[in-house]
mmCIF file of all heavy atoms in Angstrom:
data_model
loop_
_atom_site.group_PDB
_atom_site.id
_atom_site.type_symbol
_atom_site.label_atom_id
_atom_site.label_comp_id
_atom_site.label_asym_id
_atom_site.label_seq_id
_atom_site.Cartn_x
_atom_site.Cartn_y
_atom_site.Cartn_z
ATOM 1 N N VAL A 1085 2.108 -5.896 0.880
ATOM 2 C CA VAL A 1085 1.231 -4.779 0.528
ATOM 3 C C VAL A 1085 -0.197 -5.254 0.333
ATOM 4 O O VAL A 1085 -0.453 -6.445 0.156
ATOM 5 C CB VAL A 1085 1.693 -4.073 -0.779
ATOM 6 C CG1 VAL A 1085 3.077 -3.467 -0.623
ATOM 7 C CG2 VAL A 1085 1.628 -5.016 -1.965
ATOM 8 N N MET A 1086 -1.101 -4.304 0.357
ATOM 9 C CA MET A 1086 -2.489 -4.514 -0.036
ATOM 10 C C MET A 1086 -2.870 -3.339 -0.922
ATOM 11 O O MET A 1086 -2.348 -2.239 -0.741
ATOM 12 C CB MET A 1086 -3.421 -4.560 1.190
ATOM 13 C CG MET A 1086 -3.208 -5.775 2.080
ATOM 14 S SD MET A 1086 -4.270 -5.747 3.562
ATOM 15 C CE MET A 1086 -5.847 -6.227 2.846
ATOM 16 N N THR A 1087 -3.776 -3.569 -1.853
ATOM 17 C CA THR A 1087 -4.287 -2.454 -2.646
ATOM 18 C C THR A 1087 -5.368 -1.749 -1.831
ATOM 19 O O THR A 1087 -5.887 -2.297 -0.847
ATOM 20 C CB THR A 1087 -4.876 -2.931 -3.981
ATOM 21 O OG1 THR A 1087 -6.048 -3.715 -3.720
ATOM 22 C CG2 THR A 1087 -3.858 -3.726 -4.794
ATOM 23 N N TYR A 1088 -5.732 -0.558 -2.285
ATOM 24 C CA TYR A 1088 -6.827 0.160 -1.627
ATOM 25 C C TYR A 1088 -8.088 -0.706 -1.652
ATOM 26 O O TYR A 1088 -8.817 -0.793 -0.667
ATOM 27 C CB TYR A 1088 -7.090 1.501 -2.325
ATOM 28 C CG TYR A 1088 -5.968 2.491 -2.156
ATOM 29 C CD1 TYR A 1088 -4.971 2.615 -3.123
ATOM 30 C CD2 TYR A 1088 -5.904 3.302 -1.034
ATOM 31 C CE1 TYR A 1088 -3.942 3.526 -2.966
ATOM 32 C CE2 TYR A 1088 -4.880 4.219 -0.870
ATOM 33 C CZ TYR A 1088 -3.894 4.322 -1.837
ATOM 34 O OH TYR A 1088 -2.874 5.221 -1.681
ATOM 35 N N GLY A 1089 -8.333 -1.366 -2.771
ATOM 36 C CA GLY A 1089 -9.488 -2.251 -2.892
ATOM 37 C C GLY A 1089 -9.411 -3.450 -1.976
ATOM 38 O O GLY A 1089 -10.422 -3.899 -1.441
ATOM 39 N N ASP A 1090 -8.205 -3.997 -1.787
ATOM 40 C CA ASP A 1090 -8.018 -5.119 -0.862
ATOM 41 C C ASP A 1090 -8.390 -4.717 0.559
ATOM 42 O O ASP A 1090 -9.042 -5.472 1.286
ATOM 43 C CB ASP A 1090 -6.561 -5.595 -0.846
ATOM 44 C CG ASP A 1090 -6.090 -6.252 -2.127
ATOM 45 O OD1 ASP A 1090 -6.928 -6.712 -2.932
ATOM 46 O OD2 ASP A 1090 -4.850 -6.315 -2.321
ATOM 47 N N VAL A 1091 -7.956 -3.537 0.965
ATOM 48 C CA VAL A 1091 -8.262 -3.058 2.316
ATOM 49 C C VAL A 1091 -9.774 -2.875 2.454
ATOM 50 O O VAL A 1091 -10.376 -3.297 3.453
ATOM 51 C CB VAL A 1091 -7.504 -1.751 2.653
ATOM 52 C CG1 VAL A 1091 -7.953 -1.194 4.002
ATOM 53 C CG2 VAL A 1091 -5.999 -1.986 2.641
ATOM 54 N N ALA A 1092 -10.395 -2.270 1.454
ATOM 55 C CA ALA A 1092 -11.849 -2.078 1.496
ATOM 56 C C ALA A 1092 -12.556 -3.421 1.609
ATOM 57 O O ALA A 1092 -13.458 -3.593 2.440
ATOM 58 C CB ALA A 1092 -12.317 -1.322 0.252
ATOM 59 N N ALA A 1093 -12.153 -4.400 0.803
ATOM 60 C CA ALA A 1093 -12.781 -5.725 0.847
ATOM 61 C C ALA A 1093 -12.589 -6.385 2.207
ATOM 62 O O ALA A 1093 -13.496 -7.072 2.707
ATOM 63 C CB ALA A 1093 -12.213 -6.609 -0.264
ATOM 64 N N ALA A 1094 -11.442 -6.179 2.817
ATOM 65 C CA ALA A 1094 -11.157 -6.785 4.125
ATOM 66 C C ALA A 1094 -12.094 -6.281 5.216
ATOM 67 O O ALA A 1094 -12.315 -6.971 6.212
ATOM 68 C CB ALA A 1094 -9.703 -6.525 4.525
ATOM 69 N N ILE A 1095 -12.668 -5.081 5.007
ATOM 70 C CA ILE A 1095 -13.600 -4.553 6.006
ATOM 71 C C ILE A 1095 -15.044 -4.664 5.515
ATOM 72 O O ILE A 1095 -15.947 -4.054 6.077
ATOM 73 C CB ILE A 1095 -13.258 -3.097 6.396
ATOM 74 C CG1 ILE A 1095 -13.380 -2.150 5.204
ATOM 75 C CG2 ILE A 1095 -11.883 -3.028 7.038
ATOM 76 C CD1 ILE A 1095 -13.305 -0.686 5.567
ATOM 77 N N GLY A 1096 -15.231 -5.418 4.422
ATOM 78 C CA GLY A 1096 -16.587 -5.649 3.918
ATOM 79 C C GLY A 1096 -17.155 -4.495 3.118
ATOM 80 O O GLY A 1096 -18.358 -4.286 3.090
ATOM 81 N N SER A 1097 -16.286 -3.765 2.438
ATOM 82 C CA SER A 1097 -16.709 -2.595 1.680
ATOM 83 C C SER A 1097 -16.158 -2.670 0.257
ATOM 84 O O SER A 1097 -15.276 -3.472 -0.032
ATOM 85 C CB SER A 1097 -16.190 -1.333 2.373
ATOM 86 O OG SER A 1097 -16.438 -0.177 1.610
ATOM 87 N N ARG A 1098 -16.694 -1.817 -0.604
ATOM 88 C CA ARG A 1098 -16.135 -1.655 -1.949
ATOM 89 C C ARG A 1098 -15.579 -0.246 -2.120
ATOM 90 O O ARG A 1098 -15.254 0.171 -3.216
ATOM 91 C CB ARG A 1098 -17.202 -1.920 -3.007
ATOM 92 C CG ARG A 1098 -17.693 -3.349 -2.984
ATOM 93 C CD ARG A 1098 -18.645 -3.682 -4.083
ATOM 94 N NE ARG A 1098 -19.527 -2.584 -4.434
ATOM 95 C CZ ARG A 1098 -20.293 -2.542 -5.508
ATOM 96 N NH1 ARG A 1098 -20.292 -3.553 -6.339
ATOM 97 N NH2 ARG A 1098 -21.076 -1.516 -5.734
ATOM 98 N N ALA A 1099 -15.458 0.486 -1.038
ATOM 99 C CA ALA A 1099 -15.079 1.900 -1.066
ATOM 100 C C ALA A 1099 -13.559 2.089 -0.988
ATOM 101 O O ALA A 1099 -13.023 2.563 0.012
ATOM 102 C CB ALA A 1099 -15.770 2.647 0.059
ATOM 103 N N ALA A 1100 -12.876 1.745 -2.086
ATOM 104 C CA ALA A 1100 -11.424 1.914 -2.124
ATOM 105 C C ALA A 1100 -11.030 3.372 -1.930
ATOM 106 O O ALA A 1100 -10.042 3.682 -1.264
ATOM 107 C CB ALA A 1100 -10.872 1.376 -3.437
ATOM 108 N N ARG A 1101 -11.828 4.282 -2.492
ATOM 109 C CA ARG A 1101 -11.523 5.712 -2.317
ATOM 110 C C ARG A 1101 -11.674 6.137 -0.861
ATOM 111 O O ARG A 1101 -10.982 7.027 -0.388
ATOM 112 C CB ARG A 1101 -12.403 6.558 -3.222
ATOM 113 C CG ARG A 1101 -12.009 6.417 -4.665
ATOM 114 C CD ARG A 1101 -12.831 7.302 -5.544
ATOM 115 N NE ARG A 1101 -12.471 7.074 -6.926
ATOM 116 C CZ ARG A 1101 -12.459 7.995 -7.852
ATOM 117 N NH1 ARG A 1101 -12.819 9.218 -7.559
ATOM 118 N NH2 ARG A 1101 -12.125 7.704 -9.082
ATOM 119 N N GLY A 1102 -12.576 5.514 -0.152
ATOM 120 C CA GLY A 1102 -12.730 5.796 1.275
ATOM 121 C C GLY A 1102 -11.487 5.400 2.049
ATOM 122 O O GLY A 1102 -11.089 6.090 2.998
ATOM 123 N N VAL A 1103 -10.871 4.303 1.647
ATOM 124 C CA VAL A 1103 -9.609 3.882 2.271
ATOM 125 C C VAL A 1103 -8.557 4.963 2.033
ATOM 126 O O VAL A 1103 -7.827 5.345 2.951
ATOM 127 C CB VAL A 1103 -9.134 2.523 1.710
ATOM 128 C CG1 VAL A 1103 -7.731 2.180 2.205
ATOM 129 C CG2 VAL A 1103 -10.120 1.417 2.069
ATOM 130 N N GLY A 1104 -8.514 5.477 0.821
ATOM 131 C CA GLY A 1104 -7.572 6.551 0.508
ATOM 132 C C GLY A 1104 -7.813 7.783 1.360
ATOM 133 O O GLY A 1104 -6.867 8.425 1.808
ATOM 134 N N SER A 1105 -9.066 8.105 1.601
ATOM 135 C CA SER A 1105 -9.393 9.266 2.436
ATOM 136 C C SER A 1105 -8.917 9.077 3.866
ATOM 137 O O SER A 1105 -8.380 10.001 4.478
ATOM 138 C CB SER A 1105 -10.901 9.516 2.421
ATOM 139 O OG SER A 1105 -11.315 9.931 1.154
ATOM 140 N N VAL A 1106 -9.115 7.888 4.402
ATOM 141 C CA VAL A 1106 -8.648 7.606 5.765
ATOM 142 C C VAL A 1106 -7.132 7.749 5.830
ATOM 143 O O VAL A 1106 -6.592 8.375 6.746
ATOM 144 C CB VAL A 1106 -9.089 6.204 6.239
ATOM 145 C CG1 VAL A 1106 -8.401 5.829 7.545
ATOM 146 C CG2 VAL A 1106 -10.604 6.143 6.394
ATOM 147 N N LEU A 1107 -6.437 7.194 4.835
ATOM 148 C CA LEU A 1107 -4.979 7.295 4.835
ATOM 149 C C LEU A 1107 -4.508 8.735 4.664
ATOM 150 O O LEU A 1107 -3.488 9.125 5.235
ATOM 151 C CB LEU A 1107 -4.383 6.407 3.748
ATOM 152 C CG LEU A 1107 -4.473 4.909 4.032
ATOM 153 C CD1 LEU A 1107 -3.938 4.111 2.866
ATOM 154 C CD2 LEU A 1107 -3.738 4.546 5.309
ATOM 155 N N ALA A 1108 -5.250 9.523 3.909
ATOM 156 C CA ALA A 1108 -4.882 10.930 3.738
ATOM 157 C C ALA A 1108 -4.940 11.676 5.066
ATOM 158 O O ALA A 1108 -4.146 12.582 5.310
ATOM 159 C CB ALA A 1108 -5.803 11.593 2.720
ATOM 160 N N HIS A 1109 -5.860 11.286 5.938
ATOM 161 C CA HIS A 1109 -6.013 11.967 7.225
ATOM 162 C C HIS A 1109 -5.189 11.348 8.349
ATOM 163 O O HIS A 1109 -4.736 12.052 9.246
ATOM 164 C CB HIS A 1109 -7.490 11.997 7.628
ATOM 165 C CG HIS A 1109 -8.297 12.924 6.787
ATOM 166 N ND1 HIS A 1109 -8.968 12.522 5.671
ATOM 167 C CD2 HIS A 1109 -8.494 14.258 6.894
ATOM 168 C CE1 HIS A 1109 -9.570 13.555 5.122
ATOM 169 N NE2 HIS A 1109 -9.293 14.627 5.848
ATOM 170 N N TYR A 1110 -5.036 10.013 8.327
ATOM 171 C CA TYR A 1110 -4.394 9.322 9.448
ATOM 172 C C TYR A 1110 -3.164 8.524 9.036
ATOM 173 O O TYR A 1110 -2.568 7.839 9.852
ATOM 174 C CB TYR A 1110 -5.395 8.379 10.128
ATOM 175 C CG TYR A 1110 -6.625 9.091 10.598
ATOM 176 C CD1 TYR A 1110 -7.795 9.060 9.846
ATOM 177 C CD2 TYR A 1110 -6.613 9.832 11.774
ATOM 178 C CE1 TYR A 1110 -8.932 9.739 10.268
ATOM 179 C CE2 TYR A 1110 -7.749 10.514 12.198
ATOM 180 C CZ TYR A 1110 -8.901 10.459 11.436
ATOM 181 O OH TYR A 1110 -10.015 11.134 11.852
#
Side-chain angles (χ1 to χ4, degrees):
V1085 298
M1086 292 177 76
T1087 66
Y1088 292 95
D1090 292 340
V1091 174
I1095 63 169
S1097 173
R1098 296 185 325 168
R1101 289 183 183 214
V1103 172
S1105 292
V1106 170
L1107 289 176
H1109 289 93
Y1110 303 99

